[in-house]
Amino acid sequence: MPAIAQVEPLTSTRALRGPFDYRLPEELQRQVGVGSMLLVPFGRREVLGVVVALSESSDIAEEKLLAPLRALALGMPAELVTLAEWIAAEYCSTVARALTLMLAPGTARGAGPLIRLVAGLTTAGRSLADGEPNENQPRLTERQLALLRTLLDGPAVASGLPGGAAALRRLADRGLVELERRAVPRRPTHLPVGVQSAQAPRLTGEQQAVVDELSGVLEQRTSARRLLHGITGSGKTEIYLRLTDETLRQGRGAIVLVPEIALTPQIVGRFIQRFGDTVAVLHSRLSMGERHDEWRRLRAGEARVCVGPRSAVFAPIEKLGLIIVDEEHDASYKHEGDPRYDAREVAQARVQSAGALLLLGSATPRAESYHSLPRMRLARRVDGRPLPRVEVLDMRGANHGLHPRTIAALADVRRAQGKAIVLLNRRGWANFLSCRACGQVWGCPHCDVALVLHRGEGQVACHHCGHREFVPERCECGSAALARHGTGTERVEHDLKAALADDRFEVFRLDADSAGTATPSGGVGALLRDFQAVRSGVLVGTQMVAKGHDFADVQLGVVLDADATLRFPDFRAEERTFALIAQLAGRVGRGGEGHVLIQTIAPRARAITHAADHDSDGFLDGELERRRELRYPPFSHLIRIVVSATAARSARIAAATVHQRLHAPDVTVLGPAPLFRLRGRERQVLVLKVSDRPAAVRLVDKAISTVSRQRSSAGVNFSVDVDPQ
């Protein structure tokens, strides 16, 4: 029996790396395995740790083996421990930080099952409640009989019953009710938008061919990856449902990843309707208790399908057979905290070890997926309707936000009592304020960026650190002449309400400001349900409005300032511009004819012309050729290192020192170069372009570990992003 547990303490310190050996007390030796959670003494405190290995003996001297230990009831599968070790090595992080991603929600805060007093009928109590005659029937009041009848449908929590625990105890004393303290599941409530029938529709020929081929792949029970490249409205979700059903039939489980659950309630609703309690939902908008109980259901095998955003890739599903990544092009699958993992790559690692199928689906796949994965095509919409016609509007020389054709088209939608979606990927009222007299621009005191005007709140705000201040009445120079530059969704909403809104035509806005604390049962979900329910209206918003919504009665789509993302200093700028336009076009014309207007000052830009022609293959083929020439992913890997400190000199010295340690064959280092100040910290950035990613990650990890231990690096932070998005 193993007597030594190798434990990884869950600390955030990069320099402190385990595992550490602990001698298991005899009473724990049969309970503890890889993935078990322990409370272990660590220095002067007690910390949470995960068992990563077991052994018969230790290299540590006997007197240095620490005890006592306390085991916690809820551990993780051993497979997730192996996955955490892979993530730490792959993304230049620590095993402890990776393991933290996989804990049962709330573990670090002591979360556990919700224990309540539950009442149920005895045989005698059920007879009385059913009204069966009995000579020995005790005399009961009408209120007591009503309470017994309430329990005919099954046990219930005592606190929710009329009369409460006191009334139930009197009935229990008479042998009519059984009282028991037990765990009560906290199930999230779902109010999905646009949920379709639970009955499976008839598949098209294209869909059936895909399902048949992928079902065959599932039967082989070997790891495989496929890209489902289907136009918007081609029925990808139904294929996901059929493959999940086949996976369950084989006795295996499935994970379904969506970009953001509050913005994709329809797919969540369809899975719940089709598979019922077999589905668990994991996402940060649920309460801690709800997430904890959903995780426990998955761990116990009570739920076999997990639906959620990127963190759901760590769901504790054993016998994993299928992982689906819907809208695989979406940048939200990349985690911004440490470790900066990519859920698509983590999914690939999980299916490889489990012998499962990874299916990535999108109408606008990433160049990396298009290049490297076997593709399956869906070229037609399920109802046979054509994609909407697209018209590009040249805004060069225009001094207004809306083209006359756009205003006329929206007016036509209003007269026809239809619906429209207007996308402007910039929130707020105006981009920035300036003084007409002296030229001063109002900037953030903590970041080197301009403050954005939010007129409805009477404030200017930083979209990086959250700093806010009231709109100034006048400049420091004394002038009250303030200019507002640029247009955001708040301004467009105001203008459309002034021009078009009435009792029969409503204007809605969906962006990070209007969403607030969005949840599937409120916030974004409520707004989308309202837009769906209204007979006629327009939905104005940022890229949120283009994410997977299925409204059959939207007949017009408008993209304002479509070339804005082309001006970003990002080699993926064209890909993102194409995807944004194509995804918005996909929301249009699902129930009839559709029309899309693209306003731009770059009407001949490659991303815009290909999007207007619905030509994803042509765009991606050209994009891959461009990246091959420039040696960008997928023909290389990038690693970004950001060095930050409160003093600019400290950041520069640390970045230069790291740079000196990064010389190696086939490694191109760009920088260090200054980044804009963020949250009061000065920043420097280095970017590595490499072919051998694992070797480069090891090189970076060694360099940062060495430099961070130097006295001159006190107060300096290092952030590593492997293949940044």
Side-chain angles (χ1 to χ4, degrees), residues 650-687:
S650 298
R652 285 197 305 270
I653 292 174
T657 308
V658 169
H659 180 272
Q660 293 170 4
R661 297 178 175 275
L662 293 177
H663 296 295
D666 196 37
V667 174
T668 302
V669 183
L670 307 176
L675 270 181
F676 69 91
R677 187 169 53 102
L678 181 67
R679 297 182 179 89
R681 296 184 69 85
E682 303 288 344
R683 301 189 299 162
Q684 294 277 318
V685 62
L686 302 100
V687 176

Side-chain angles (χ1 to χ4, degrees), residues 112-119 155-160 165 168-169 178-186 293:
L114 179 65
I115 306 298
R116 290 287 185 267
L117 185 67
V118 176
V157 177
S159 60
L168 289 168
R169 285 195 177 94
E178 290 179 330
L179 296 177
E180 179 185 3
R181 299 192 71 82
R182 67 171 75 164
V184 177
R186 292 160 286 197
D293 285 0

